[in-house]
Amino acid sequence: MEQKIDLFTPIHKAIRNLIYDTGKTLQTVDLGNVAEMEETLDVLENMLELLEEHARHEDQFIFPPIENSSPGISRE
């Protein structure tokens, strides 16, 4: 029996964990503390950049080969 490789679950679980951690940081930041606010903005900016890069990689490298073998599947 051929074993399927799951490319999606581990990376998306890790990304969700990073999103949750970033959310916790945003909820607890003291916006009156400029240094803490700037550090939190850096964390948020890094998270948003990671999400954009991840989406680009999926669109460029992951979905096209999948679509070649199973047209329409990435819309699901």
Side-chain angles (χ1 to χ4, degrees):
M1 179 176 188
E2 184 178 328
Q3 185 179 16
K4 292 184 179 183
I5 298 172
D6 182 356
L7 297 174
F8 292 97
T9 301
I11 188 66
H12 289 112
K13 279 186 172 188
I15 289 172
R16 276 193 302 275
N17 188 44
L18 291 171
I19 291 170
Y20 296 146
D21 285 347
T22 301
K24 285 190 325 190
T25 300
L26 290 171
Q27 291 174 0
T28 60
V29 64
D30 175 4
L31 297 176
N33 180 327
V34 175
E36 188 176 337
M37 180 184 65
E38 287 176 352
E39 182 179 329
T40 301
L41 287 174
D42 286 343
V43 167
L44 180 59
E45 186 174 287
N46 288 335
M47 170 55 58
L48 294 173
E49 288 174 4
L50 178 134
L51 292 173
E52 288 176 355
E53 182 178 13
H54 174 72
R56 276 194 309 275
H57 285 171
E58 280 189 339
D59 290 344
Q60 292 176 355
F61 304 112
I62 303 297
F63 293 141
I66 292 172
E67 280 295 316
N68 286 339
S69 63
S70 299
I73 196 165
S74 53
R75 282 188 301 255
E76 294 178 21

